[in-house]
Amino acid sequence: MSDSASPDDDGDEPAPGLRKIIHVDMDAFYASVEQRDDPSLRGKPVAVGGDGLRGVLTTCSYEARRFGCRSAMPSVTAKRLCPDLIFRRPRFDVYSAISRQVREIFLDYTPLVEPLSLDEAFLDVTDDDRGIGSATRIAELIRQRIRDETGLTASAGVSYNKFLAKLASDQNKPDGICVIRPGEGARFVAGLPVRRFFGIGPRGAEKMAGLGIETGAELAARDIDWLRRHFGSQADYLYRAARGIDLRRVKANRARKSLGTERTFDKDISSGSALREVLERIIALSWERIAKAKAQGRTVTLKLKHADFTQLTRARSLARPVATRDEFSAIGHALLDEVLPLAQPVRLMGLTLSQLEGEEAEPSGPPVGGTAQLPLL
């Protein structure tokens, strides 16, 4: 039912005792870094990504968002909406260095930090190791230090579980904070459009609208049996989310699911020899990342996206981890050979290694649970 990432779930039992959770989200992170480092860009619409015919926005500044530009939008569409849009190529080495700097700030307040990406993370500050007194004050101190030490702004959500904290961090962006206290979760969720729920993308929201559900309150009015008939394995998550319930832990040192590379071509490719040549470059980039991370995995997956945006994947799993670059390469080429010749041209190719060592299977959402005694924030 979802056309975006599913809500994560670590599968653990609920953490005992009371919890205070902060979700910190950097504001338009990549674009803000570009504006910080080039003062001439400040106050102007900026996009990070490729500006060619096949380019896609990785992110864009708030000035660009006022024109309707957004992440994952084709660059040609963004330029049509905002003719003055300024493009900058991503500098992931810079973004990664700043992300590490911000993470060190987090770790000054709690060891329980769960990064979701370079620009956002959950923090469990229940134990209040520094005796600051409240999660809200900790969030404010973190936001101030990020501003002082990086020259960037971050928004924060503070609540008694991860689901609500993430919703709250988006509530007063940019450079804002929102606190959802115990007893307020269900009421807060009731007034939100369901498209704001993590895991519900545009198509999922469209399906819900067709069933008469556009707000959290309308979702909460449906019983679990009705939700299971219409949404299958997502039903339990939706039932809990509509009531502001989420008993997942903040999980530090979160395991990576896969490593690899994908590339969008400037022009569609249909030739087998050309695709094999591109695959060699993707293999080299992917294995460099795998080796750097010292990762070991058992499944190699080839991903192809056609000119009409339909997607084709092929995967092969071993009983043991893939041992060498040559073995990784051989599997990748064998997977490509399985689908050649192609019925239509390809616009994107990717190759990943997954089922990494230490990875555990995860259910589709947090387990259904009751309420618990919750701390004041």
Side-chain angles (χ1 to χ4, degrees):
M1 95 99 215
S2 168
D3 51 352
S4 64
S6 295
D8 64 323
D9 182 5
D10 55 34
D12 289 341
E13 290 299 315
L18 309 178
R19 292 189 297 165
K20 302 179 183 182
I21 309 298
I22 302 171
H23 180 258
V24 180
D25 192 2
M26 301 295 289
D27 297 321
F29 182 43
Y30 302 166
S32 295
V33 172
E34 299 306 323
Q35 290 177 317
R36 182 199 70 173
D37 293 350
D38 183 352
S40 71
L41 298 177
R42 294 174 189 172
K44 297 179 181 178
V46 175
V48 175
D51 61 353
L53 290 176
R54 293 297 176 82
V56 174
L57 271 61
T58 303
T59 191
C60 58
S61 67
Y62 286 98
E63 294 86 355
R65 295 181 191 189
R66 296 190 190 108
F67 290 86
C69 301
R70 54 177 173 74
S71 301
M73 175 179 282
S75 298
V76 291
T77 304
K79 284 189 283 190
R80 187 167 62 249
L81 292 171
C82 181
D84 295 327
L85 191 61
I86 301 167
F87 281 84
R88 287 291 183 267
R89 289 283 178 179
R91 297 184 296 152
F92 289 111
D93 55 338
V94 176
Y95 311 146
S96 296
I98 297 169
S99 179
R100 289 192 294 271
Q101 186 180 0
V102 170
R103 197 163 302 168
E104 287 302 314
I105 295 173
F106 296 158
L107 292 170
D108 275 350
Y109 297 89
T110 176
L112 298 177
V113 176
E114 180 182 341
L116 301 181
S117 62
L118 289 179
D119 61 345
E120 62 175 320
F122 286 113
L123 292 73
D124 187 329
V125 297
T126 306
D127 289 341
D128 190 11
D129 296 334
R130 296 177 55 173
I132 291 168
S134 79
T136 304
R137 179 60 180 156
I138 294 171
E140 290 284 22
L141 290 171
I142 287 171
R143 292 177 62 242
Q144 186 61 51
R145 283 190 58 186
I146 290 172
R147 182 191 295 275
D148 292 344
E149 297 177 29
T150 72
L152 302 168
T153 65
S155 296
V158 183
S159 196
Y160 50 90
N161 66 46
K162 292 167 73 173
F163 174 72
L164 292 173
K166 186 168 174 62
L167 284 176
S169 69
D170 195 46
Q171 187 71 6
N172 294 321
K173 271 187 165 289
D175 196 19
I177 186 168
C178 176
V179 182
I180 304 173
R181 293 176 172 81
E184 298 176 348
R187 184 169 66 252
F188 180 85
V189 170
L192 292 180
V194 290
R195 65 177 180 275
R196 285 273 307 275
F197 288 23
F198 185 55
I200 299 179
R203 286 196 293 273
E206 184 179 348
K207 176 179 178 179
M208 286 191 166
L211 293 168
I213 299 173
E214 296 191 4
T215 68
E218 290 166 343
L219 181 60
R222 307 290 182 161
D223 64 38
I224 189 63
D225 291 334
W226 187 92
L227 291 172
R228 284 172 178 158
R229 285 198 304 274
H230 290 280
F231 299 109
S233 62
Q234 287 273 314
D236 289 349
Y237 162 68
L238 295 172
Y239 181 87
R240 293 188 306 276
R243 290 157 177 78
I245 297 171
D246 182 0
L247 300 178
R248 293 170 298 164
R249 296 174 183 267
V250 169
K251 194 172 185 180
N253 301 318
R254 186 186 176 95
R256 189 190 296 267
K257 294 298 175 189
S258 65
L259 280 166
T261 304
E262 61 181 42
R263 287 289 180 267
T264 301
F265 312 140
D266 291 332
K267 295 181 179 179
D268 295 344
I269 298 177
S270 56
S271 159
S273 60
L275 287 169
R276 290 187 184 97
E277 185 178 331
V278 172
L279 180 59
E280 270 303 313
R281 296 199 294 272
I282 290 175
I283 288 167
L285 289 168
S286 297
W287 193 257
E288 182 180 350
R289 292 179 178 178
I290 292 164
K292 186 176 180 180
K294 298 180 180 178
Q296 293 185 309
R298 297 187 291 111
T299 299
V300 179
T301 302
L302 176 73
K303 172 183 171 182
L304 300 173
K305 187 175 287 186
H306 296 300
D308 63 358
F309 288 88
T310 57
Q311 188 168 297
L312 172 68
T313 60
R314 289 290 185 274
R316 183 169 300 175
S317 296
L318 305 182
R320 51 160 180 80
V322 175
T324 64
R325 181 193 186 282
D326 287 345
E327 186 173 40
F328 182 67
S329 175
I331 295 172
H333 279 285
L335 293 172
L336 179 59
D337 287 342
E338 285 182 15
V339 298
L340 292 176
L342 293 168
Q344 55 179 312
V346 170
R347 70 186 310 271
L348 175 147
M349 176 187 287
L351 193 70
T352 58
L353 181 69
S354 60
Q355 283 197 287
L356 304 181
E357 284 199 346
E359 174 185 332
E360 297 177 0
E362 296 189 349
S364 60
V368 177
T371 58
Q373 288 290 94
L374 299 165
L376 293 176
L377 300 166

